[in-house]
Amino acid sequence: MNDPHVHRSLQEAKVPRHVAFIMDGNGRWAKNRGLPRSFGHASGAKRVRSVVEHAIDRGIPFVTLFAFSSENWRRPMEEVSTLMSLFVLYLEKEVKDMNSNGVRLKVIGDLSRFDARLQKLIAQAEAVTAHHTRVTLTVAANFGGRWDLVQAMGRWQAAHEGAPATDMTEAALQPFFSMAYAPDPDLLVRTGGESRVSNFLLWQMAYTEMYFTDVLWPDFTPDEFDRALAWFVETDRRFGGVSQKVSD
Ligand code: FPP
């Protein structure tokens, strides 16, 4: 993007620490080309690489992708298995490059429903990239925000047997969420024209700025990413308080 104002702002300060993506529009991208939906997902999986590389270029340390929601099991079996195969392929192909680019991979969600091979690949990929610090790439797979809340409360209770429910404060619960290792997202980007959160990171997005674009995920180029960052630069985050400009 060539807007000098945006360039300056991004360089100077207002780079989000954590950007989360809902990668929507793969199916329509394929349909527009008269191709089966699986081509759209394959194209979407390829897009992930340029997005992560661009996040590195822009100095964004946390990137989170909604790859497969708890609700996606309702899709036709064939499509579910395409998505699973793409995930396997992605892990097999990309881990080497993640290692050379300083990418730490994390996968969040209820992984127990995935087949044993995929679970093993995930565990291996997380282990071999665990020491990296440049960017943390989190892939949310069989993830739902409500599931995360319930599992966090369950784990809190198991760790505090017999404690009264009033001990379960926001701060006490925080370490039990799937993304306890990351700051809350500053920016959510949803491609594909819908304006909803779709049971993604519900707890963590209490103060997240939300950017919705009609661009379909396979078309979400680095320039489009910069457009979202430019929009973020212009937002005035008050976290329930008053604007800096007013309070100064
Ligand atoms: C939504 O498009 C997209 C998904 C349900 C899956 C996203 C998955 C990938 C991009 C590939 C795998 C991910 C990784 C990290 C390798 P849609 O099918 O709902 O599109 P539509 O709304 O146009 O039908």
Side-chain angles (χ1 to χ4, degrees):
M1 183 177 265
N2 293 323
D3 180 341
H5 171 63
V6 170
H7 256 300
R8 212 175 325 109
S9 308
L10 289 176
Q11 276 161 9
E12 276 170 8
K14 230 183 154 192
V15 175
R17 288 195 67 209
H18 183 177
V19 184
F21 292 93
I22 298 181
M23 309 181 285
D24 203 2
N26 293 344
R28 277 163 288 161
W29 183 92
K31 194 171 170 226
N32 292 344
R33 286 162 178 74
L35 297 168
R37 291 176 63 81
S38 56
F39 279 70
H41 292 312
S43 193
K46 280 195 200 119
R47 176 55 68 199
V48 166
R49 193 191 172 100
S50 72
V51 165
V52 176
E53 280 172 358
H54 197 61
I56 293 173
D57 287 349
R58 289 292 182 227
I60 298 165
F62 291 91
V63 174
T64 300
L65 306 170
F66 205 8
F68 194 87
S69 76
S70 322
E71 289 75 29
N72 285 153
W73 295 106
R74 294 184 201 139
R75 294 190 177 207
M77 215 174 78
E78 201 185 292
E79 185 166 344
V80 170
S81 86
T82 298
L83 286 166
M84 295 297 155
S85 315
L86 278 170
F87 197 19
V88 170
L89 211 71
Y90 180 80
L91 291 173
E92 284 175 341
K93 260 181 56 188
E94 301 286 333
V95 168
K96 217 169 108 201
D97 283 357
M98 286 183 199
N99 263 327
S100 40
N101 287 317
V103 180
R104 171 172 71 146
L105 179 77
K106 297 283 240 180
V107 180
I108 56 166
D110 180 4
L111 305 184
S112 64
R113 235 182 123 176
F114 292 146
D115 74 42
R117 177 167 167 240
L118 183 50
Q119 288 190 42
K120 196 170 158 206
L121 265 175
I122 291 171
Q124 281 170 345
E126 285 188 326
V128 298
T129 61
H131 58 290
H132 293 307
T133 53
R134 202 167 178 199
V135 63
T136 298
L137 170 63
T138 301
V139 175
N142 195 21
F143 181 87
R146 290 178 178 177
W147 167 83
D148 197 22
L149 191 49
V150 170
Q151 72 77 28
M153 291 192 289
R155 292 203 299 133
W156 180 90
Q157 202 173 34
H160 300 86
E161 233 176 290
T166 46
D167 282 3
M168 197 195 282
T169 59
E170 288 183 22
L173 210 48
Q174 186 64 30
F176 294 92
F177 281 98
S178 302
M179 289 212 76
Y181 55 85
D184 288 346
D186 303 296
L187 173 64
L188 168 77
V189 174
R190 180 173 186 145
T191 60
E194 316 281 0
S195 318
R196 54 176 173 263
V197 172
S198 296
N199 196 19
F200 194 17
L201 297 160
L202 300 180
W203 174 273
Q204 299 83 349
M205 296 210 295
Y207 287 102
T208 299
E209 301 293 339
M210 302 202 178
Y211 178 84
F212 300 105
T213 171
D214 288 339
V215 172
L216 305 176
W217 176 254
D219 293 328
F220 192 76
T221 57
D223 263 3
E224 292 297 339
F225 195 164
D226 270 350
R227 237 181 281 283
L229 294 174
W231 175 85
F232 179 78
V233 163
E234 298 302 330
T235 58
D236 177 20
R237 304 187 77 198
R238 294 190 297 278
F239 297 96
V242 290
S243 165
Q244 276 288 335
K245 287 168 214 142
V246 175
S247 60
D248 279 347

